Amino acid sequence: MNQAHIERSSDGSLQVSGELTFATVTALNGKAAALFAQPSGELVIDLAGVSRADSAGLALLIEWLRQAGHQGATLRFSHMPAQLHSIAAASYLDTVLPVSV
């Protein structure tokens, strides 16, 4: 079974690991809801631990942008895997996602 995890690290960023796919994003979004309930300012989501992603993973990142906006926070994605970046570029969403190295 494919799995994905999200947890807050000691520096306050959110660490995502595993697969961001159709099989995992619904459960992962549910786990992330509590973490988005209290952000303020900028929240960094570190994607270095993502081993695989598909278009559902990209949709999840966009959903997280929406959720953060409703909480008055901004997001920044760090260490976006090349596979996910390619999907975003093919969809012309690479300019919408706030990505840093």
Side-chain angles (χ1 to χ4, degrees):
M1 177 181 205
N2 301 333
Q3 291 190 6
H5 303 281
I6 186 167
E7 62 185 15
R8 192 171 300 278
S9 69
S10 60
D11 67 2
S13 67
L14 297 179
Q15 306 289 315
V16 179
S17 60
E19 297 185 0
L20 296 182
T21 64
F22 287 103
T24 65
V25 296
T26 301
L28 187 61
N29 192 39
K31 293 175 189 174
L35 299 172
F36 283 114
Q38 48 195 305
S40 60
E42 183 180 68
L43 182 60
V44 176
I45 298 181
D46 188 341
L47 302 170
V50 173
S51 58
R52 196 179 87 131
D54 61 21
S55 60
L58 178 61
L60 179 64
L61 300 187
I62 293 167
E63 172 60 16
W64 285 350
L65 282 173
R66 187 191 68 77
Q67 289 178 23
H70 285 299
Q71 297 295 329
T74 58
L75 289 186
R76 181 170 46 94
F77 300 104
S78 66
H79 305 106
M80 182 177 284
Q83 181 183 27
L84 193 53
H85 188 267
S86 294
I87 296 168
S91 306
Y92 300 104
L93 292 171
D94 56 330
T95 59
V96 175
L97 294 173
V99 177
S100 65
V101 180

